[in-house]
Amino acid sequence: MRDLLVFGAMLLFVPLGLSNAFIGYMLWGWAGLIAMNSYVHGFMGIVPFVQLFALVTMASLLMRNGDRFERIEINRTTVLMMLFVVHGFFVALFAYPGLDRNWELFGNLTKTVLFCLLMPVFVTSRYRIHAMVVMVVLATSFHGALDGLKFIASGGGHNARGIAKFGDNNHFAMVLLMVLPLLYYLYQISSRKLAKYGFAVMLPLTAFAVVATASRGALIGLCVIVLFILMKSRNRVIGILLVAVSAAVVVQLAPDSWSERMETIKTAKEDDSLLGRFGAWRVSSSIALHNPVFGGGFRAVQSSVLWDGFKDGPTLLPFIEVAPSSPSGLAAHSIWFEVMGDMGFVGFLLFVGLVANAFLTRREILKLTKGRGPSLRWASDLADMLGAALLAFVVTGSLLSAAYFELPYIFLILLEVLKQHVLKTVAAERKAATPQAALRPESLSPPRPS
Amino acid sequence: MTEGLLLLAELVLLSLLLLAVRRKAKDPKTPDLGFFSYEVLSDDAPPPKKRN
């Protein structure tokens, strides 16, 4: 039945994508984030949706179907992204032998960066920026709504694992946390009441799904995001009430095992799971010290051979001991150490540059919109919420191997696209204001003698 | 059952979005994105009284 449903939808989506390249582009992004193959198990299960919509977009772009396109922008963000992927190519080329997913991960990174570099070509106006945000939220919060509903229906007993694409429960929680600020943005900005209330319902459902993952890092991330949103909220009383009600529901529904697991945050220093992560950081930095330019290759630290070879080598973290009983070849468990081990210090600096650049771009947007009228308030709100989403990535990602996941890259480029749009709007306003100023009577009068 | 219904809702909402984008692309004077319309504030008009 689901296959027929999706098949029917494709009969609409593919022609729509062919008729307008921007629609094809949105479908490409949507297919990547929703991972439809995880939800259909019949004849549609073998359809490569992402590749299909990527082809549809390219075909539509070649036919120039759509109302407006721009050239690929050369700016700080796009240059950093291009350098990161070019460096990634050499990383994969010079990687240690025997890394199973080396080229696969490089391929995924390349596809993500290609998608991002095309965004300034298609997303050229406010309604397109809005449509992109709605598309990302629809695709991502679908997973959250599903597990949030299961959490309520099971009386808190449901254990959310997410789908294979996202990895384990911790990765899934990170993805959901990143979409929460955008749900809040859409709730604020939507003018149709039904849509507004729909986003308002999705917010707690997605938060419940985060709780259902029983991820301790995500609980910390959730607190950070909720605080950030409350700080930025224009109606804090309602916000605090909503948070209080949601927290009460969680406390009522969550089983004892959840509370016991969250309690272990206090004793994290004695936790084997955390100690194992520290060991992976030590090994990752050791690989980077030995290969400072190109690192060890994608997922190098997960190779048992490399782990055993580097666990006692020189490292940036000499105070951390890798326990002799610790299994070999663990995940890096930190976006920072993951990139450091995989791509060396050059890749690490590019990655840090990308993340820092996003926060800098957010600041630039806030500066550009500050003191202007309400017409650009949406841009500062969106910049804030994209910043919050990236903050969730930084906070929870510091304990996860998620450096190459596409969502943060999409948000990075969306911030850049938003900045370009604000710059153009401000420039157009100035241009429109200048002739008027020149025609004012006082500007036409002769200069006063000094 | 829950998954199927949510999938249906997802596909319907996405269709609404894509059709609204197509309408807007064909006629840029179309004022909004239908179900997914957003607030447009003007610098000249006073800000709305209440906004959550």
Side-chain angles (χ1 to χ4, degrees), chain A residues 196-363:
Chain A
K196 202 176 186 72
Y197 295 143
F199 291 124
V201 170
M202 295 292 278
L203 257 171
L205 276 182
T206 308
F208 291 153
V210 173
V211 173
T213 60
S215 165
R216 292 169 294 180
L219 185 69
I220 296 170
L222 185 61
C223 295
V224 171
I225 291 300
V226 167
L227 273 177
F228 189 93
I229 291 178
L230 278 180
M231 271 167 57
K232 295 286 172 186
S233 172
R234 295 206 177 87
N235 199 335
R236 285 186 196 149
V237 178
I238 288 183
I240 291 168
L241 270 174
L242 262 174
V243 171
V245 170
S246 303
V249 171
V250 168
V251 169
Q252 279 295 314
L253 286 180
D256 292 342
S257 57
W258 183 85
S259 312
E260 283 161 17
R261 182 157 172 80
M262 295 306 126
E263 282 285 317
T264 60
I265 291 174
K266 293 177 192 164
T267 55
K269 282 182 185 168
E270 299 144 29
D271 191 329
D272 283 346
S273 162
L274 193 72
L275 294 177
R277 290 173 193 205
F278 288 160
W281 297 358
R282 180 194 161 104
V283 177
S284 292
S285 67
S286 182
I287 294 173
L289 278 174
H290 201 259
N291 308 277
V293 180
F294 296 121
F298 291 98
R299 291 279 195 275
V301 72
Q302 283 180 244
S303 153
S304 311
V305 179
L306 292 180
W307 178 285
D308 291 335
F310 283 102
K311 70 178 182 183
D312 299 317
T315 173
L316 293 178
L317 307 168
F319 47 89
I320 291 173
E321 292 289 329
V322 180
S325 59
S326 170
S328 297
L330 294 174
H333 282 304
S334 162
I335 49 173
W336 314 110
F337 286 99
E338 181 185 16
V339 176
M340 194 188 285
D342 290 2
M343 303 179 77
F345 290 109
V346 175
F348 174 73
L349 286 176
L350 286 170
F351 183 70
V352 171
L354 268 170
V355 175
N357 172 59
F359 290 105
L360 188 66
T361 308
R362 170 191 165 263
R363 218 178 133 193

Side-chain angles (χ1 to χ4, degrees), chain A residues 356-370 383-384 415 419:
Chain A
N357 172 59
F359 290 105
L360 188 66
T361 308
R362 170 191 165 263
R363 218 178 133 193
E364 285 172 340
I365 296 169
L366 296 187
K367 224 173 165 180
L368 280 166
T369 53
K370 196 178 176 185
D384 263 337
L415 267 169
K419 188 181 99 179

Side-chain angles (χ1 to χ4, degrees), chain A residues 68-182:
Chain A
R68 198 176 150 197
F69 305 113
E70 298 279 344
R71 289 176 176 216
I72 290 182
E73 294 258 356
I74 301 294
N75 51 47
R76 239 173 25 217
T77 311
T78 51
V79 167
L80 276 168
M81 275 193 179
M82 282 190 259
L83 286 175
F84 192 61
V85 82
V86 168
H87 182 72
F89 171 73
F90 289 107
V91 164
L93 194 66
F94 297 122
Y96 283 108
L99 303 181
D100 300 335
R101 299 190 62 201
N102 184 41
W103 284 105
E104 179 199 335
L105 283 168
F106 168 69
N108 291 348
L109 180 68
T110 310
K111 286 179 218 162
T112 298
V113 170
L114 175 67
F115 179 81
C116 291
L117 291 177
L118 283 172
M119 197 181 287
V121 175
F122 295 108
V123 185
T124 50
S125 58
R126 183 184 172 185
Y127 90 86
R128 289 188 174 198
I129 294 174
H130 186 77
M132 275 303 289
V133 174
V134 174
M135 179 279 290
V136 169
V137 166
L138 280 182
T140 319
S141 60
F142 170 76
H143 310 287
L146 191 59
D147 278 301
L149 285 173
K150 285 179 184 173
F151 180 76
I152 295 172
S154 64
H158 173 63
N159 198 357
R161 313 305 302 176
I163 53 172
K165 176 193 164 71
F166 296 136
D168 64 11
N169 59 324
N170 297 304
H171 293 85
F172 182 47
M174 185 193 78
V175 173
L176 297 179
L177 277 177
M178 288 181 73
V179 82
L180 276 175
L182 291 184

